Amino acid sequence: MLEKFSMDNVKEPIVNYNPVTRQYIYEDPEEKGQLAYERCVEIPWIRNSIKQAISLIESKDLHTTVKAKKLFSFRRNHKYSIFDFGCNKAKYLSQAKEKYDIKTFGLDLKKPAKNFVDKFFYGEFNDKLGKRVQKKAPFDICRAISSIEHAGYRLKTQSLIDAYQNKILKFLLDLSTFTFISVPFGKRPGWSNDRSRENLYQFDEVMIKNIKSYVKDKKKKSFVEYYKFDANHWFKVDIGEVNNTVYRDNKGGAGAIALISIYP
């Protein structure tokens, strides 16, 4: 069984966006390069999650990738497989690959993301692209780090966006043994008070309940952990403390996040 993430009172470096240079500037130069915004919780969490998942794969003989070797020749030199939805410039994928014997797969709208995975799928998620990914499945681990909330936002109406994002959630659950998802959490859509950030729909309690329903149908287990940003620190909290959270601002970060772990 997976263990919950033990991290609390995490200081977030103060980073300011310069619209002229289009760069993020650390207020304290000595903190330059440190994980900023919600990444200072998400990245340690996903590293810990991968470590735990691989340990369980070994101890409980859950080798999805090893069992598929005879069918998929591209895996013959790798012990594990990871698919990342919205991989972008995900250095944590490269780091995981260096630490473990992993074949990495990723999907993203940004072409430079191809430099961070072994096999890259370019484009916006749809049935055609999904079938291409499924041909490479099953994966030992699927993950989506602050990405699903952006999917489909151009559809405009909440009902269409809800349906599209729920479809992605089902898709990821069907692909893997372990699934790890992080999302900004609170009100839905949860745009900032000045409505400067309208390209994402935060998850809320209804979306979490949908995930739990899918998990139950797949006969898997899950738990969700919540973190809230306050006074430049991240604190682990209960869901009741973050239900009404909105996004901070256009170039800022989330006010709260949900970390979702799904396992066999």
Side-chain angles (χ1 to χ4, degrees), residues 245-257:
T245 306
V246 295
Y247 213 79
R248 282 188 256 173
D249 55 55
N250 187 36
K251 294 299 180 180
I257 56 174

Side-chain angles (χ1 to χ4, degrees), residues 189-198 246-250:
W191 296 326
S192 50
N193 286 323
D194 61 6
R195 293 180 70 90
S196 63
R197 188 70 185 258
E198 299 190 1
V246 295
Y247 213 79
R248 282 188 256 173
D249 55 55
N250 187 36

Side-chain angles (χ1 to χ4, degrees), residues 51-68:
K51 180 180 179 181
Q52 287 197 63
I54 287 179
S55 177
L56 287 170
I57 289 169
E58 289 294 331
S59 64
K60 296 184 178 296
D61 192 24
L62 302 172
H63 287 280
T64 298
T65 300
V66 171
K67 292 175 182 177

Side-chain angles (χ1 to χ4, degrees), residues 136-186:
K136 306 299 184 182
F139 304 106
D140 294 299
I141 300 170
C142 276
R143 57 188 182 183
I145 309 301
S146 283
S147 57
I148 299 177
E149 69 274 10
H150 296 285
Y153 77 90
R154 291 188 181 89
L155 296 172
K156 299 299 183 182
T157 67
Q158 180 148 344
S159 60
L160 290 176
I161 293 170
D162 287 357
Y164 183 66
Q165 293 183 350
N166 283 323
K167 184 176 182 177
I168 292 171
L169 293 167
K170 287 183 177 180
F171 174 76
L172 294 177
L173 272 170
D174 288 342
L175 289 181
S176 60
T177 304
F178 294 86
T179 310
F180 301 108
I181 299 167
S182 69
V183 287
F185 185 85

